[in-house]
Structure formats: structure tokens, C-alpha cells
Amino acid sequence: YYFPCQRWLAVEEDDGQIVRELVPVDEAFVKKDSENDGQSLATLGLEQKAKSTTYTVKVKTGDKKNAGTDANVFITLYGSKDDTGIVSLKASKINKNKFERGKVDEFTVESVDIGDLKKIKIGHDNKGNSNGWFLEWVEIDAPSLGQCLKFPCGRWLDKSEDDGAIERIIFPAELQTTEYIPFVPYEITVYTSDIFGAGTDADVFIVLYGSDGICTQQKSLCLNKREQRMYFERNSVNQFIVELEDVGDIIEKIRIGHKGGGLNSGWHLDHVAIRRLLPNGK
């Protein structure tokens, strides 16, 4: 079995996860393309991403005295087919100091398809000075399922409060579930021109337009400033797997640009290639 990754396992990189689930690919695919090894491995890393599901996890700490925690918080998502295993919530996208009183933190969790989300287990390791935690709720947005689910808690995870438990199993509140059209993965390949000063360090974004006025949200292609510095160099080809609203079989136009700012924001774009990936990753 061959399990490519080609992704960071680092709090400060990529989506912030330090544990990844990998699925096997046919090793013949790797050997066939061995003369262009780096590119084929990078492609395999993207294949992995296309087969996985991305969840946005929002966590609300209660607005009570001593509600925040310095302990290490973890979560497990349980679906109708499988579960994610234990995922550490280390890199909040919103707050440097996470799980503070009254604050909402946001995390990205990536997993192979676990099916419909049924319940979660969330808890902490009770380490640190202020380890007790009052959890208000967890919200999980699963674009590939077209669902945003709310998991109300409103209880302490604290050895000296409530029932003394520091982890809890929580079920979604059906009346607070939001349904929408599921997202699909798109493979977006961006070609930067081979002329002087063509590259950019700016935040590049894209919008896809289908027929009947359907369009996606505006989506940044890079996850952080480090990626902005790495990608879109002169004469480079950069490939991204992005989950977006399904605009149908025909993409009538795209809108691509950047947000300016920085020393090297001007960009000379050669062309863009887009593939709408089917659910089986083909």
C-alpha cells in the first residue's frame, strides 16, 4: 500500500492539523510518473485532499467566571460510516489565545468521508493552571454534506464542577441544523507568466460562475501568508483543491484577482485550468 501525503503536519502551516488520515493509491501511478517525481507526488497529495471532507468547527466558550481553559482540547466526529479519530484543536483561525471566556474559536478538521454526522465527543487533558472549561456549544459546517449542525452543551468540563467529567458526548440539535446545496471539490490550476516581475505575494481569490446566474462565494486560494509567498512565482504552475458551491457541468466564466497590498502585489497571469471533480475523486 502506498499512502502519499505531501502536506504539512504543523500548527502554523496548511490547515493547522498535526494528524492526517491518508488513503492508499495505486503505486503504479507513482512509478509511471517517476521521471517527474516531485510533480507526481504533489499531484498525489492533491488527490488525497480531493477524497477527503473538510469541516469547519466553531467552538463557543461560555461567558462565565473562569469559563476559559489553557488545557489541550480535542474532538472526535462520529459519522454513519466511520469517525475521525481524536483531533487536537490547536490552531484557532480567529484568536491567538484560544478557548477564552465568551469567545468563539474556529478550526479546520479534514477527514476521509465518515458519512452523515451523528455525534461528537469533545474534551480536554486537564493540563495547565486554568484547566476547567465551560463549553457553550460546538457548530460544525460540512460543505460536502451541505449541512451546518449545532451541538449545544452549556456545561462544565471540569473535575471540580458539575459531574466532574472533562469530556462529553454531544448530539446535534435537529431544529438548529441548516441545510444547503452540498459543495463539490474543484481542481484549480493557475499558470503565472514567464515575464519579469510576473509573480505576486498578494492574496489571490477566485469566483466561479455557472449558467442561470449561479456563482460560488469568493474564495482565497492560499490558506495563509506563507503560502502567498510560496505560490504564484514567475513561470510557475500551482494547483489547488477547493471545495465550493456546485455551479453545474458548465462554468461560463470565472472572476480571479487579488487584494493588493504588500511589496510585490502586481501579478501577470497566463491562464487558469479548472476541473470539477466527481464525488469518487475522478
Side-chain angles (χ1 to χ4, degrees):
Y1 295 89
Y2 189 86
F3 295 86
C5 182
Q6 296 294 305
R7 305 271 308 274
W8 284 96
L9 285 79
V11 174
E12 303 297 332
E13 303 287 355
D14 201 333
D15 58 6
Q17 288 302 318
I18 56 171
V19 178
R20 297 203 179 283
E21 289 191 352
L22 304 178
V23 292
V25 299
D26 186 354
E27 197 175 356
F29 177 78
V30 184
K31 289 180 174 170
K32 180 185 72 179
D33 210 9
S34 58
E35 71 278 1
N36 191 10
D37 212 25
Q39 186 58 42
S40 73
L41 285 172
T43 303
L44 284 170
L46 287 168
E47 289 286 324
Q48 286 277 14
K49 193 166 183 181
K51 288 177 181 173
S52 66
T53 302
T54 303
Y55 302 92
T56 297
V57 178
K58 290 185 178 176
V59 180
K60 171 71 185 291
T61 299
D63 191 8
K64 289 176 178 280
K65 187 180 179 185
N66 300 323
T69 185
D70 294 332
N72 296 303
V73 174
F74 57 83
I75 192 169
T76 305
L77 279 52
Y78 295 88
S80 54
K81 299 180 189 172
D82 202 351
D83 65 71
T84 60
I86 296 171
V87 179
S88 294
L89 299 180
K90 285 192 171 292
S92 173
K93 291 185 162 185
I94 301 174
N95 305 306
K96 191 170 184 183
N97 291 329
K98 52 193 184 295
F99 310 122
E100 295 288 308
R101 173 178 174 174
K103 296 288 181 66
V104 175
D105 291 288
E106 184 179 312
F107 305 88
T108 300
V109 173
E110 227 177 62
S111 164
V112 294
D113 181 19
I114 61 170
D116 293 333
L117 203 49
K118 297 295 185 187
K119 64 181 180 180
I120 63 171
K121 181 163 72 177
I122 188 165
H124 61 79
D125 61 4
N126 209 42
K127 291 184 177 170
N129 296 324
S130 308
N131 44 35
W133 185 35
F134 190 90
L135 171 62
E136 197 70 60
W137 49 256
V138 178
E139 183 183 273
I140 299 180
D141 190 9
S144 65
L145 299 175
Q147 278 190 332
C148 185
L149 299 97
K150 194 76 161 275
F151 295 79
C153 181
R155 294 183 70 178
W156 286 98
L157 284 78
D158 188 334
K159 287 195 169 179
S160 59
E161 297 279 356
D162 203 333
D163 60 0
I166 58 170
E167 65 177 45
R168 299 197 180 280
I169 290 175
I170 315 173
F171 294 87
E174 286 186 29
L175 294 176
Q176 295 184 59
T177 298
T178 308
E179 307 259 351
Y180 56 93
I181 297 170
F183 283 22
V184 297
Y186 291 89
E187 178 192 89
I188 299 173
T189 310
V190 180
Y191 297 78
T192 299
S193 303
D194 186 14
I195 63 172
F196 180 74
T200 185
D201 292 337
D203 183 3
V204 173
F205 60 81
I206 195 165
V207 182
L208 313 185
Y209 293 83
S211 53
D212 301 323
I214 300 171
C215 72
T216 69
Q217 62 183 271
Q218 180 173 300
K219 181 79 171 180
S220 291
L221 294 178
C222 292
L223 291 165
N224 51 46
K225 284 192 160 36
R226 185 183 176 281
E227 287 194 359
Q228 290 174 32
R229 290 193 297 272
M230 279 174 52
Y231 298 140
F232 313 119
E233 296 294 304
R234 174 180 173 173
N235 196 31
S236 67
V237 179
N238 301 118
Q239 203 166 60
F240 307 88
I241 300 290
V242 180
E243 283 183 0
L244 288 166
E245 295 92 338
D246 190 351
V247 298
D249 293 334
I250 297 169
I251 300 173
E252 294 203 335
K253 67 175 183 179
I254 66 170
R255 183 168 173 264
I256 188 166
H258 62 78
K259 298 176 182 176
L263 295 172
N264 305 304
S265 62
W267 183 36
H268 197 287
L269 171 64
D270 191 85
H271 69 282
V272 179
I274 298 179
R275 231 171 27 125
R276 177 170 168 261
L277 302 175
L278 298 174
N280 60 5
K282 295 279 173 65

